Amino acid sequence: MPFEFEKLEIEGLILVKPKVFGDNRGFFLESYKKSDFTTNGIDIEFNQDNHSKSTAKVLRGLHYQAKPYGQAKLVRCSRGKIFDVAVDIRPNSKTFGKYVKVELSEENKHMLFIPEGFAHGFVVLSNEAELLYKASGEYSPQADRGILWSDKDININWEIDFEPILSEKDKNQPILKDINKEELI
């Protein structure tokens, strides 16, 4: 099998480690194979692919889509290095408000599968970073929501010693306890 699937401490989050075939010419890897993913509990139809580029010290997130427009995501960093964060915002989850953070980079080539019901964000640790991610649902501007990246109740340890660069939108997101729970997946 060209992948290793590692279930993380919050139910539904899976770290995917592709098998990399490399030599002096470069490398080859499969970044997605429906049959392997389905066999390992990721039976999702992806409907949109996204590509983002960010400079050093940029922090994006924490973003999610309100119901009924939730998105599962398969995220990978094809250039540079990031800390990728997923926060459980499933209202009836025993891990509501908890998060998982993983390092994704062009070196480790790992991917993070994030099911619906999570807010997602990342911080760039390299000079630049490019992310490629698959989403199960198409982006819906009217369902675009977020949570403040520095919410004290979530208390994410971003492990950064710099002031992150944020969009105006991300600077002004509500904290978790103030979001509309009726909109959550």
Side-chain angles (χ1 to χ4, degrees):
M1 183 178 314
F3 303 97
E4 178 186 332
F5 295 86
E6 179 185 329
K7 292 183 179 181
L8 300 178
E9 54 268 22
I10 296 180
E11 185 179 342
L13 294 175
I14 301 172
L15 187 64
V16 181
K17 301 175 182 177
K19 184 168 182 169
V20 180
F21 302 91
D23 59 27
N24 63 338
R25 300 168 297 155
F27 72 89
F28 171 84
L29 66 82
E30 292 179 358
S31 60
Y32 178 74
K33 187 174 183 181
K34 185 166 181 57
S35 60
D36 285 356
F37 276 64
T38 299
T39 298
N40 286 278
I42 304 173
D43 191 9
I44 299 292
E45 180 179 344
F46 292 109
N47 293 302
Q48 182 172 320
D49 283 354
N50 301 314
H51 185 162
S52 74
K53 178 180 178 182
S54 301
T55 58
K57 301 181 182 179
V58 165
L59 192 150
R60 296 184 187 267
L62 302 160
H63 303 145
Y64 66 96
Q65 292 271 282
K67 70 178 176 185
Y69 299 100
Q71 293 179 317
K73 296 177 181 175
L74 180 63
V75 182
R76 70 184 179 104
C77 181
S78 62
R79 182 170 172 230
K81 179 167 68 170
I82 66 165
F83 277 138
D84 204 51
V85 174
V87 178
D88 187 348
I89 57 170
R90 299 171 293 184
N92 298 318
S93 171
K94 64 182 181 214
T95 53
F96 179 84
K98 304 293 184 201
Y99 73 92
V100 164
K101 177 181 68 188
V102 296
E103 182 181 295
L104 302 179
S105 70
E106 67 182 296
E107 286 83 23
N108 70 24
K109 298 177 180 32
H110 295 171
M111 297 175 274
L112 180 61
F113 172 73
I114 305 167
E116 288 186 19
F118 284 78
H120 173 250
F122 65 89
V123 64
V124 177
L125 304 173
S126 51
N127 287 334
E128 289 183 327
E130 292 192 35
L131 272 67
L132 303 169
Y133 56 100
K134 297 182 152 319
S136 62
E138 294 182 12
Y139 173 75
S140 173
Q142 71 268 24
D144 188 19
R145 302 288 188 276
I147 300 166
L148 188 65
W149 70 279
S150 59
D151 184 327
K152 300 285 189 233
D153 290 335
I154 301 171
N155 197 28
I156 297 170
N157 180 2
W158 291 96
E159 294 185 52
I160 54 176
D161 61 359
F162 53 82
E163 193 63 34
I165 300 168
L166 302 160
S167 69
E168 284 306 310
K169 177 176 95 172
D170 287 345
K171 288 178 186 176
N172 296 299
Q173 296 287 12
I175 58 175
L176 181 60
K177 69 180 179 184
D178 291 341
I179 64 173
N180 182 353
K181 307 285 189 298
E182 299 297 316
E183 294 183 334
L184 299 179
I185 304 296

